[in-house]
Amino acid sequence: MPIATVNPTTGETLQTFEALGAEEIERCLAAAHATFREYRTTEFAERARLLNRAADLLESEQKDIARTMTTEMGKPVAAARAEAAKCAKTMRWYARHAAELLADEHPSRADAEDSGAARVYTRYRPLGVVLAVMPWNFPLWQVVRFAAPTLMAGNTGLLKHASNVPQTALYLGELFERAGFPKGCFQTLLIGSGAVEAILRDPRVAAATLTGSEPAARSVAAVAGDEVKKTVLELGGSDPYIVMPSADVGRAARTAVTARVQNNGQSCIAAKRFIVHTDVYDAFTEEFTTRMAALTVGDPLDESTDVGPLATEQGRTDLEELVDDAVRRGATALCGGGRPKGADRGWFYSPTVLMGITSDMRIHQEEAFGPVATVYRVTSAEEAVRVANDTPFGLSSNVWTRDQDDVDLFVRDLEAGGVFFNGMTASHPALPFGGAKRSGYGRELSGHGIREFCNITTVWHGADPGE
C-alpha cells in the first residue's frame, strides 16, 4: 500500500510520500536508543512540563490538525476537533498523575520482615524503545494514548502509522519535538508494513504495541514472541448493545445511533450488534431505524454532516460484501443497505439496519467496520448473554437496564473488557482500556496502561549485621 493522502470524500490522491530507506531507519533506531539512555533519568516534573507543552501546542493547532485528519480519513470535522481536544486532555492527565501511578510500592511491615528485609519496595523502571503500530481510524487519539504514558514512564517511542494518514503521522512526530522533548524521544517512521519485522527484531527495541487488525496482530505478536519481547494488542470488536425491558427505550435508541455511527461506524468500540428484549424490540427498532435513516451523509468538512465516507475503498467493499451476504441469506435491510443515491465520488455507504440475522451469515461473526447495525430479538437476559458472547471478539459491551439482577448477571457473564450500563462505551484516560478473546490483550490508559511498558523491579535490602 503506498504511503499517501487519498481524500476519501473524492477518491483523489493529494500527496504521496517516499518510505524511509535502511540508512534512515537505522538513524532513527540509534537516536531512539541513545536518547533513552539519558531521558530515562529525567525527573517526572520535567517530563510533565514537556507533555503539558505538547498539549498546549495541540490545543492551539486543534482546527488545523482536525482538517488534516478529516481530509486523510473522512471523519466529520467536529469529531476530529473533539479527538484533538481529548488527546490534549489525556496528555495533561498523565502529566499530572504519572508520578503517583509509578511511585514506589511498599509491602506491609510484617511482609517485609518475613522476607528478611530491612527495607524492600517495588519500583517501576522504563523498558526502553517501544514500537507502536497504529491504525487510521483515530489517527491522533490512538497514538497519543500510547505516547503520553510511554513518554511519562521514561521510555522513547517509534511510530509506524497507517499508510493512509501520513500527514497526521508526521505532525505527531514533530509535535513532541517542538514541545521540547529531546530529539529521538518520539519519532515517526514513514515505512510500509514489510519493514516492521526487522525493526521489531532489532535488539534496541524493547517492546511493541499494536492497535489494528487481527492478521497484523498475529504477525507482530509472532515476531515479538520469537524475540521474547513484551506486546500490548488492541484489536477488533463487535460490541453488543443490550436493551432490557426496564430500560429507558427512547434514550437507548437515541444513544444507539451515536454508538453505532461514531467515526462513520469505523470504531472498534462502536456498538455493532443490538440485542433487544422482545418486550421492547418493536419500540426500540422503530425509533432506532427512523433515526439511522434520517442521518445526513456527505462531505465531512461540512459541519452539518453526520456520517462521512469510509476511509478506504477496500473498506467499503468489505462492508458491502458483509451486507450483501446477509441479505442473500435472508436478512432484511430496514434502512440503507447500499451506497447513497448520487454518491458517484468518494467511499460513502448509507447508515444501515439489518434484522433477521442468523448464525450462518458472515456478519454474525465478523466485524462490520462502517455504519451498519444488526438487530437481534431475545426473550431473556440469559439469551442476551448467549448472543452477546457468540463472537470471537470481546472488547466492550453496553447494557440498558434498571434492574439490579440484570446488572449483576451481565457484569458476571459478559465476555468483554468493559461493561457500560445506560450509556455508550467511551475511553477515558483514568479508565483501563482493552479486551478479551480476539480483541487482544494488555491494557491501555489509566495506571494499568502506563505500567505495561515498565520493568517492575523488586528492590530488597538486607539488614546490616553491624546494626
Side-chain angles (χ1 to χ4, degrees):
M1 182 177 183
I3 301 174
T5 296
V6 181
N7 188 338
T9 303
T10 64
E12 178 187 4
T13 299
L14 301 179
Q15 193 171 355
T16 59
F17 298 82
E18 289 293 325
L20 296 183
E23 291 185 3
E24 294 167 307
I25 292 173
E26 168 57 29
R27 282 197 292 271
C28 291
L29 280 166
H33 182 66
T35 300
F36 168 69
R37 305 308 300 173
E38 297 296 325
Y39 179 70
R40 67 190 178 92
T41 65
T42 58
E43 299 292 333
F44 281 112
E46 173 61 8
R47 299 174 200 167
R49 183 186 69 80
L50 296 172
L51 196 59
N52 278 320
R53 175 59 182 152
D56 291 340
L57 289 171
L58 181 54
E59 286 173 337
S60 69
E61 297 159 359
Q62 179 183 18
K63 291 182 180 179
D64 290 339
I65 188 57
R67 288 186 65 87
T68 298
M69 286 191 283
T70 295
T71 300
E72 289 201 304
M73 56 71 58
K75 71 170 71 238
V77 70
R81 290 195 300 269
E83 180 174 337
K86 185 174 184 177
C87 289
K89 173 182 176 179
T90 298
M91 290 178 183
R92 296 194 192 287
W93 190 89
Y94 273 109
R96 185 166 62 251
H97 292 290
E100 76 179 88
L101 294 173
L102 298 181
D104 292 347
E105 296 178 359
H106 299 267
S108 69
R109 182 175 179 179
D111 284 339
E113 291 177 352
D114 190 57
S115 76
R119 184 162 62 99
V120 62
Y121 54 92
T122 301
R123 176 159 294 178
Y124 294 96
R125 298 189 293 164
L127 280 183
V129 181
V130 182
L131 171 66
V133 181
M134 293 287 113
W136 48 260
N137 57 334
F138 291 94
L140 208 65
W141 168 240
Q142 301 279 12
V143 177
V144 167
R145 75 185 194 189
F146 142 76
T150 295
L151 293 171
M152 283 305 301
N155 297 304
T156 57
L158 295 172
L159 169 64
K160 187 279 183 232
H161 217 326
S163 294
N164 60 325
V165 289
Q167 293 185 60
T168 306
L170 290 170
Y171 172 83
L172 284 158
E174 295 164 358
L175 174 68
F176 293 105
E177 188 168 337
R178 287 191 293 127
F181 281 92
K183 191 173 181 63
C185 234
F186 188 92
Q187 300 171 87
T188 289
L189 307 179
L190 287 188
I191 56 174
S193 57
V196 170
E197 179 174 348
I199 294 170
L200 185 51
R201 289 192 184 279
D202 191 288
R204 291 167 292 187
V205 173
T209 180
L210 177 144
T211 299
S213 70
E214 189 176 332
R218 288 179 182 274
S219 176
V220 166
V223 173
D226 191 47
E227 296 290 338
V228 197
K229 293 181 179 180
K230 174 73 178 286
T231 54
V232 170
L233 305 179
E234 192 266 281
L235 311 179
S238 191
D239 290 4
Y241 189 102
I242 299 168
V243 184
M244 297 299 291
S246 63
D248 180 335
V249 176
R251 184 165 162 248
R254 292 190 298 273
T255 305
V257 175
T258 304
R260 183 62 204 97
V261 302
Q262 59 175 313
N263 207 45
N264 303 337
Q266 300 165 122
S267 170
C268 297
I269 57 170
K272 299 184 177 79
R273 297 175 299 130
F274 296 82
I275 303 165
V276 187
H277 192 281
T278 188
D279 290 354
V280 293
Y281 180 91
D282 291 341
F284 173 87
T285 302
E286 180 180 0
E287 181 165 354
F288 178 49
T289 302
T290 298
R291 289 179 175 275
M292 286 283 282
L295 293 170
T296 299
V297 180
D299 183 352
L301 288 174
D302 186 330
E303 297 286 348
S304 67
T305 292
D306 298 311
V307 179
L310 298 188
T312 67
E313 187 173 19
Q314 185 60 53
R316 183 176 65 178
T317 299
D318 293 343
L319 191 66
E320 288 175 327
E321 290 176 355
L322 281 182
V323 173
D324 291 348
D325 171 78
V327 171
R328 188 168 57 250
R329 294 175 185 273
T332 300
L334 299 178
C335 68
R339 303 178 186 184
K341 291 181 181 179
D344 54 351
R345 293 202 312 163
W347 301 313
F348 294 92
Y349 196 86
S350 297
T352 298
V353 178
L354 299 176
M355 65 176 293
I357 305 300
T358 56
S359 60
D360 63 332
M361 299 172 185
R362 289 176 53 200
I363 203 167
H364 179 68
Q365 288 291 317
E366 298 179 32
E367 180 180 21
F369 219 55
V372 174
T374 54
V375 184
Y376 297 77
R377 185 193 296 264
V378 295
T379 59
S380 66
E382 290 76 13
E383 185 182 5
V385 167
R386 287 196 298 273
V387 175
N389 289 342
D390 188 22
T391 172
F393 301 107
L395 192 53
S396 191
S397 58
N398 308 261
V399 180
W400 290 76
T401 183
R402 296 167 175 168
D403 186 314
Q404 186 58 46
D405 289 341
D406 285 348
V407 171
D408 294 341
L409 181 143
F410 288 119
V411 170
R412 184 191 69 195
D413 292 344
L414 285 176
E415 298 168 351
V419 186
F420 285 68
F421 288 96
N422 302 318
M424 59 180 274
T425 298
S427 55
H428 185 280
L431 306 178
F433 182 88
K437 301 195 289 188
R438 291 188 179 179
S439 288
Y441 53 75
R443 290 295 181 266
E444 297 177 294
L445 303 176
S446 76
H448 296 280
I450 197 171
R451 297 183 194 112
E452 286 282 5
F453 295 119
C454 287
N455 176 0
I456 304 172
T457 308
T458 298
V459 182
W460 186 94
H461 295 265
D464 187 335
E467 292 182 356

